[in-house]
Amino acid sequence: MAVKVNEYYSLIQNNYLFVEIARRVDEYQKENPDANLIKMGIGDVTRPLAKSVVEAFKRAVDELGDADTFRGYGPEQGYDFLIEDVIENDYKPLGVELKNSEVFISDGAKCDTGNFQELFSKDNIIAVTDPVYPVYVDSNVMAGRSGKMGEDGFYENIVYLPATSENDFVPSLPSEKVDIIYLCYPNNPTGTTLTKEQLKEWVDYAHKNDALILFDAAYESFIKTPGIPHSIFEIEGAKDVAVEFRSYSKVAGFTGTRCAYCVVPEEVYVKDANGNKVQLNPLWNRRQSTKFNGVSYPVQRAAQAIYTPEGKKEIQENLDYYVKNAQVIRESLEKMGLKVYGGVDSPYIWFKTPNIDSWSFFDILLKEAHVVSTPGAGFGPSGEGYLRLTAFNTYENTVEAMDRISKLEF
Ligand code: MLT
């Protein structure tokens, strides 16, 4: 076979973090078929789809089964009915005006954040906060932007901005010039947030350094604390320097249903090799129209249902359910004397392990408490010594898991 492989794949870790965790968990479950494992690792939801969502979903399927209302290919960018509801409900109340052409419906924020880097040349310098959602790093490694990983776990060409208890999980601005910065707030994995003033510093940095911020707001619906920004576009001037990603996965239980969107303001310009300005929005449009055929009509109708008065009420009940779980987790860990972060405006609880490295503590929880967690080190070198639990299991399982963990001796 003369086909040459994309060599950059050899620079990446063997398995995607959550695949590696699933592999270890499956292996343990096979050896211990009676172990009743409680999964608080990957942020997958347990509440069923809201009633209004299911009804809208079914109605749309019926439309497809009728010759008079059947639809084939939809717009690659998403149907206007959903885009208009996004603008009206998710952005207008924040004082953010958007055009329909700036919102792109997709099948997930993981896909959007992973794919977006395709629009940029290979020599851009990427910055990530550390620990970080692995998709941002892995997708740039695959594209050849990272260089090799050193012994210390850092890729040589990626700028890492540590966010740890030492800096109260507020990463410093890069000390060198970077081109593209990935930010996720409320943060995955630490569950921490930034204030408007803190986020403004990043927007100012981007203006001063001609940089672009790729802002992942997948967890914004968990924000309860007043004043915490739900969107980067709440910050003045952000529309010139930022793209935002959102998802229905956690807000409306769409992890299996798949629907999300990405906002690419018309004001964002990048540069070509000759230094000429190039508008980003048409590039993403071109990418999506070529490689994506849109989200299915019933799924977009299902997503739209969360913006009805009934839908809003129902999804809020689910969010409150998870918030209560987060509180149970936080309080239990604190009672055990552990240092706990996040879990207030976020479904993720991040805590310091009791002087055990994160993969070993992951193993202890798995083997001795039958609880699946996510080791902090899996999110990057600065995650070492931390562990993440999610609030997405059922209330009963969450209470049971915390009870089991509290009985461990460590
Ligand atoms: C996580 O557990 O970090 C998320 O569920 C991953 C994702 O949304 O892709």
Side-chain angles (χ1 to χ4, degrees):
M1 173 84 74
V3 178
K4 295 198 184 93
V5 72
N6 174 349
E7 283 171 29
Y8 300 121
Y9 274 63
S10 69
L11 302 177
I12 209 159
Q13 280 156 315
N14 268 351
N15 273 336
Y16 177 57
L17 173 62
F18 294 105
V19 172
E20 175 59 22
I21 291 172
R23 189 191 65 77
R24 292 183 188 215
V25 170
D26 284 352
E27 196 176 279
Y28 182 76
Q29 186 81 81
K30 270 199 200 106
E31 285 162 11
N32 303 273
D34 296 333
N36 170 21
L37 298 182
I38 299 181
K39 297 192 174 165
M40 295 164 84
I42 192 166
D44 198 3
V45 293
T46 50
R47 304 291 301 151
L49 294 177
K51 199 159 159 270
S52 351
V53 167
V54 173
E55 280 164 8
F57 213 156
K58 284 185 181 161
R59 270 197 309 273
V61 172
D62 285 342
E63 281 180 52
L64 296 187
D66 183 330
D68 290 338
T69 46
F70 173 76
R71 297 176 186 233
Y73 289 126
E76 289 88 351
Q77 303 78 359
Y79 284 102
D80 277 335
F81 63 76
L82 180 56
I83 292 175
E84 279 157 19
D85 274 2
V86 164
I87 294 174
E88 209 49 42
N89 294 279
D90 290 345
Y91 288 98
K92 258 223 178 103
L94 303 176
V96 178
E97 298 288 333
L98 293 174
K99 294 186 189 144
N100 284 22
S101 56
E102 295 176 305
V103 179
F104 296 83
I105 307 296
S106 77
D107 60 349
K110 175 180 176 181
C111 321
D112 285 345
T113 55
N115 291 332
F116 213 87
Q117 50 74 32
E118 278 183 39
L119 304 189
F120 310 115
S121 88
K122 224 169 79 176
D123 53 5
N124 283 290
I125 302 293
I126 302 293
V128 293
T129 57
D130 175 34
V132 70
Y133 179 44
V135 171
Y136 315 151
V137 171
D138 289 2
S139 56
N140 278 289
V141 177
M142 291 168 173
R145 237 171 250 116
S146 64
K148 292 200 182 96
M149 186 191 268
E151 297 272 293
D152 52 8
F154 293 110
Y155 281 100
E156 57 191 351
N157 299 335
I158 292 183
V159 173
Y160 291 81
L161 309 164
T164 61
S165 59
E166 277 79 45
N167 59 9
D168 226 359
F169 299 94
V170 181
S172 306
L173 296 171
S175 50
E176 60 265 81
K177 189 188 150 6
V178 302
D179 302 304
I180 298 166
I181 305 154
Y182 287 85
L183 293 180
C184 173
Y185 288 99
N187 187 254
N188 182 12
T190 65
T192 56
T193 52
L194 289 186
T195 62
K196 272 195 185 145
E197 294 67 35
Q198 288 164 337
L199 192 52
K200 182 174 179 307
E201 289 182 26
W202 289 94
V203 172
D204 292 346
Y205 173 94
H207 274 283
K208 273 191 213 116
N209 292 277
D210 262 346
L212 175 71
I213 299 173
L214 299 180
F215 191 77
D216 187 346
Y219 301 94
E220 65 75 35
S221 55
F222 289 86
I223 297 174
K224 283 186 135 30
T225 308
I228 300 292
H230 287 248
S231 163
I232 192 163
F233 301 127
E234 288 179 63
I235 312 298
E236 212 188 315
K239 269 192 174 179
D240 300 324
V241 292
V243 168
E244 180 161 291
F245 305 93
R246 289 205 186 182
S247 164
Y248 295 101
S249 283
K250 318 292 154 108
V251 59
F254 272 51
T255 49
T257 307
R258 310 306 308 153
C259 199
Y261 63 86
C262 156
V263 177
V264 190
E266 289 185 350
E267 289 90 330
V268 185
Y269 283 82
V270 290
K271 291 212 171 81
D272 69 15
N274 300 319
N276 301 312
K277 283 171 75 178
V278 181
Q279 199 181 17
L280 199 57
N281 178 294
L283 293 190
W284 184 243
N285 190 27
R286 185 72 177 83
R287 191 265 171 215
Q288 291 298 80
S289 343
T290 304
K291 297 195 178 182
F292 185 56
N293 256 337
V295 175
S296 82
Y297 172 69
V299 168
Q300 292 191 61
R301 280 291 185 204
Q304 186 193 23
I306 74 159
Y307 297 115
T308 59
E310 199 47 37
K312 279 184 186 162
K313 202 171 129 263
E314 290 165 356
I315 62 160
Q316 192 54 51
E317 281 165 13
N318 285 346
L319 289 169
D320 292 344
Y321 180 95
Y322 297 133
V323 166
K324 194 165 133 206
N325 288 350
Q327 197 183 339
V328 168
I329 300 170
R330 273 187 68 92
E331 287 174 2
S332 316
L333 293 170
E334 276 165 2
K335 250 196 222 147
M336 293 173 221
L338 297 165
K339 283 296 263 172
V340 185
Y341 309 93
V344 176
D345 294 304
S346 158
Y348 294 132
I349 297 88
W350 184 250
F351 64 98
K352 267 210 165 116
T353 60
N355 287 326
I356 306 171
D357 73 88
S358 5
W359 278 106
S360 303
F361 200 55
F362 165 87
D363 276 338
I364 293 175
L365 291 198
L366 176 63
K367 293 175 185 167
E368 294 178 24
H370 295 164
V371 173
V372 181
S373 61
T374 311
F379 295 101
S382 300
E384 182 52 272
Y386 292 89
L387 212 82
R388 193 192 78 173
L389 288 175
T390 87
F392 288 122
N393 213 310
T394 62
Y395 177 73
E396 293 72 21
N397 277 347
T398 304
V399 170
E400 164 72 16
M402 298 322 293
D403 185 51
R404 290 186 199 169
I405 296 173
S406 67
K407 289 184 178 136
L408 294 179
E409 303 224 342
F410 45 71

